[in-house]
Amino acid sequence: MRKTIRYTMEDLSDIVAMLKKGGGVALPTETVYGLAVDGRNDAAMWWLFDVKKRSREKAISVLVSGMEMVEDYCQNIPQAAYRLAEKYWPGPLTMVLEDKGVVSTLTTGGTDTLGVRCPDHPMTLEVIRQAGFALAAPSANPSDQPSPKTAQEVLDYFDGRIEGVLDGGSCAMGVESTVVDLTGEDPKILREGGIPGQEILDFLKGQG
């Protein structure tokens, strides 16, 4: 592959076209940079696992533009998800919901659940809106390395191995999103991140 292209806000249509063709591009979020592909595309997902050297058994969450898009990919969505989205999205919160079977089974890791998140970064949100589909986007690093917080850190890992990186500056938070599982009777925090897990549980309890 030729040298990785460093994209700017003016190049969004090129990025969207690349994603629609099954390509991969690193995108900024408020947490860390993610390596994004079309989560419905098996070949793109194989490439993603390969370039990250990531175990294929591990599910990958997707980036969405909001709850309207979540409804295209998930089913039996509980009211708690809408309440959390209203309070914390866009933001560092990933919700695990019941999968509808739209994304690749490689994205869900063969499970019947799907993690969804609406990132708080205007450039990446615009990419998702223009593409019109959810992006599988784990952090843009080889699996055993620290998550990148700048476009340059992404290039240090993957220059010449990925097609492009959208330079959105430095990630404001630098820590991954908090993951909450809403598929059971009670919400469960699966990973602590940008929002304290207890705060999420307390918010849901307070909402009745």
Side-chain angles (χ1 to χ4, degrees):
M1 188 185 281
R2 58 204 166 96
K3 203 168 165 59
T4 299
I5 301 166
R6 193 191 284 249
Y7 289 112
T8 66
M9 190 71 179
E10 284 71 52
D11 305 310
L12 292 196
S13 57
D14 292 342
I15 292 168
V16 170
M18 186 199 303
L19 289 165
K20 285 182 173 176
K21 282 192 295 202
V25 62
L27 298 173
T29 74
E30 78 283 18
T31 55
V32 297
Y33 274 72
L35 188 53
V37 299
D38 181 351
R40 306 165 302 179
N41 184 319
D42 285 347
M45 291 303 301
W46 279 115
W47 172 85
L48 184 61
F49 282 114
D50 188 48
V51 80
K52 271 184 63 70
K53 300 195 169 14
R54 180 181 169 115
S55 161
R56 287 164 182 75
E57 285 73 53
K58 284 178 81 173
I60 290 175
S61 60
V62 297
L63 300 179
V64 296
S65 55
M67 284 305 290
E68 204 174 303
M69 189 176 276
V70 171
E71 289 168 357
D72 295 336
Y73 292 87
C74 300
Q75 59 191 356
N76 301 321
I77 301 168
Q79 266 314 113
Y82 292 93
R83 295 203 302 268
L84 286 173
E86 197 176 332
K87 180 165 175 67
Y88 292 110
W89 275 8
L93 174 69
T94 298
M95 298 188 285
V96 176
L97 301 169
E98 197 177 308
D99 179 52
K100 209 180 203 175
V102 177
V103 297
S104 165
T105 53
L106 291 163
T107 306
T108 61
T111 67
D112 55 5
T113 62
L114 179 65
V116 292
R117 177 164 107 79
C118 179
D120 191 9
H121 197 291
M123 292 163 82
T124 294
L125 274 177
E126 191 53 35
V127 170
I128 300 165
R129 286 191 192 109
Q130 287 188 26
F133 51 80
L135 300 176
S139 53
N141 57 297
S143 280
D144 57 346
Q145 297 295 318
S147 299
K149 301 169 194 66
T150 66
Q152 186 55 53
E153 287 177 13
V154 175
L155 289 170
D156 291 344
Y157 286 138
F158 294 130
D159 195 8
R161 297 183 59 213
I162 65 173
E163 290 172 78
V165 54
L166 175 58
D167 193 342
S170 220
C171 297
M173 287 194 127
V175 293
E176 271 92 352
S177 63
T178 300
V179 181
V180 58
D181 185 348
L182 298 174
T183 58
E185 213 150 288
D186 296 308
K188 252 196 301 204
I189 302 300
L190 301 184
R191 179 178 76 191
E192 285 285 347
I195 304 163
Q198 196 55 50
E199 182 185 319
I200 292 163
L201 299 178
D202 290 346
F203 170 74
L204 289 174
K205 276 186 203 138
Q207 292 286 322

